[in-house]
Amino acid sequence: MAAPKMHADEIDTDVMLVRRLLAGQFPHWAGLAIEPVVSYGTDHDIYRLGDDLAARLPRIGWATRQAAKEAEWLPKLAPQLPLAVPVQLAIGHPAEGYPFEWSVYQWLPGENANGTIEDLDQAAVDLAAFVRALRQVDPTDAHPRPARSRGAPLAELDKDVRRSIAELGDRVDGDAALRSWQESLDAAAWDGGEVWVHGDLLPGNLLVVDGRLSAVIDFGCLNVGDPACDLQPAWNVFAGTSRTRYRAELDVDDASWLRGRGWALYQAVMALPYYWNTNPGMIRQASHALTQVLADR
């Protein structure tokens, strides 16, 4: 039985479609073994091609700009970052009834960071080094940040957050969520220059090899803005001493910490009602994050 669709206008893909796309556009890869990659990602289907490649096919229209964004920026960012990032090899075009551009990348080894990190304190140091390095990259040529995108002022997200909490009803502690959100809204705004933010540093976008962070993937939310946005792993990945270590490594003041917590809450309460019946992995992650946020008073 097919899994329920996450999006009303989601596009179906399968191995045979990938094989036809490769045969028509990249025939030198068409003979490779093709295997779907299981994940709780929400906007792309991923297929491993042989041992060394992966094809990424957007499921939904809003994801179709990611390949172009990564093609433009990842080659510029990669040499300045201490963890591996995706390497794009080709962009394919709509064909075979598939309506979107799609892409081929080098395969990055590793497991998602869902219980696979051996030393969370060391991971906090490693991920903080990545975030610091990303922030230090010159943002001068970055595209203007769209409204309500990652790194934006939290006030732009207020209506969406309150609507999602109301929609969740008694599935969450709505009063506690609203109190936490208001604390983040009331924190002093970022008054420094905009910096690069990944915007989506969740466990599913972190790869682990031999128990240690090795790579950061999925730069679809890459933007310039408030650096507090990349504090989300404090509540999605870390806890206890590793959370404290992540904060210390990034030298986070109280106002930035509250704004970062607001970003973690935003991502959780937006995901929960949308994916409640279709993506159990995402619901587990978002529920965990929300629990950590509400316990951090």
Side-chain angles (χ1 to χ4, degrees):
M1 183 175 181
K5 289 190 175 184
M6 290 179 284
H7 317 290
D9 48 354
E10 183 172 335
I11 300 297
D12 291 322
T13 72
D14 57 29
V15 168
M16 294 308 297
L17 172 64
V18 176
R19 178 132 357 248
R20 292 195 304 271
L21 289 170
L22 289 170
Q25 300 181 42
F26 306 111
H28 51 294
W29 292 326
L32 295 173
I34 303 174
E35 181 180 356
V37 176
V38 177
S39 78
Y40 58 84
T42 61
D43 52 19
H44 285 78
D45 285 330
I46 304 172
Y47 294 86
R48 189 165 184 178
L49 310 179
D51 293 329
D52 301 320
L53 304 176
R56 301 184 80 233
L57 278 67
R59 290 176 173 149
I60 191 76
W62 73 58
T64 57
R65 295 181 295 276
Q66 182 173 332
K69 178 188 283 189
E70 293 192 345
E72 179 179 5
W73 289 108
L74 289 187
K76 301 173 184 177
L77 297 175
Q80 305 178 68
L81 300 175
L83 296 173
V85 300
V87 176
Q88 188 182 114
L89 301 177
I91 293 182
H93 302 292
E96 302 294 331
Y98 179 74
F100 303 139
E101 289 190 337
W102 53 286
S103 49
V104 177
Y105 287 77
Q106 289 182 357
W107 176 259
L108 281 170
E111 301 173 280
N112 291 336
N114 291 297
T116 57
I117 298 173
E118 292 182 358
D119 185 339
L120 282 170
D121 284 0
Q122 181 62 56
V125 173
D126 293 342
L127 188 57
F130 172 89
V131 170
R132 284 198 309 272
L134 183 61
R135 290 176 180 177
Q136 291 166 6
V137 177
D138 185 359
T140 300
D141 296 327
H143 301 295
R145 185 189 65 251
R148 298 161 58 203
S149 59
R150 305 300 162 88
L154 292 181
E156 293 184 10
L157 314 174
D158 188 42
K159 290 182 180 179
D160 291 339
V161 167
R162 294 181 189 277
R163 182 173 59 249
S164 286
I165 292 173
E167 185 178 348
L168 283 163
D170 60 6
R171 290 177 287 182
V172 301
D173 186 341
D175 290 341
L178 288 171
R179 286 195 299 271
S180 178
W181 176 246
Q182 191 62 52
E183 288 177 357
S184 294
L185 282 179
D186 291 342
W190 174 245
D191 59 1
E194 292 187 331
V195 300
W196 285 106
V197 296
H198 178 279
D200 204 22
L201 293 174
L202 303 184
N205 293 331
L206 306 175
L207 295 184
V208 176
V209 172
D210 295 330
R212 187 163 179 176
L213 287 180
S214 60
V216 176
I217 61 174
D218 198 340
F219 283 73
C221 294
L222 181 72
N223 265 319
V224 293
D226 179 359
C229 183
D230 277 345
L231 298 179
Q232 293 176 78
W235 299 274
N236 282 278
V237 180
F238 304 122
T241 60
S242 61
R243 183 179 298 159
T244 302
R245 185 63 178 270
Y246 189 64
R247 178 174 182 172
E249 290 290 319
L250 291 173
D251 192 21
V252 180
D253 60 47
D254 289 344
S256 294
W257 190 248
L258 285 173
R259 294 195 310 277
R261 197 181 74 187
W263 272 105
L265 184 148
Y266 163 80
Q267 201 155 18
V269 301
M270 295 301 292
L272 284 170
Y274 191 90
Y275 296 110
W276 191 267
N277 295 315
T278 61
N279 191 329
M282 180 60 70
I283 296 306
R284 285 192 298 271
Q285 173 60 46
S287 298
H288 168 79
L290 185 58
T291 298
Q292 293 297 305
V293 164
L294 298 186
D296 186 20
R297 301 299 301 278

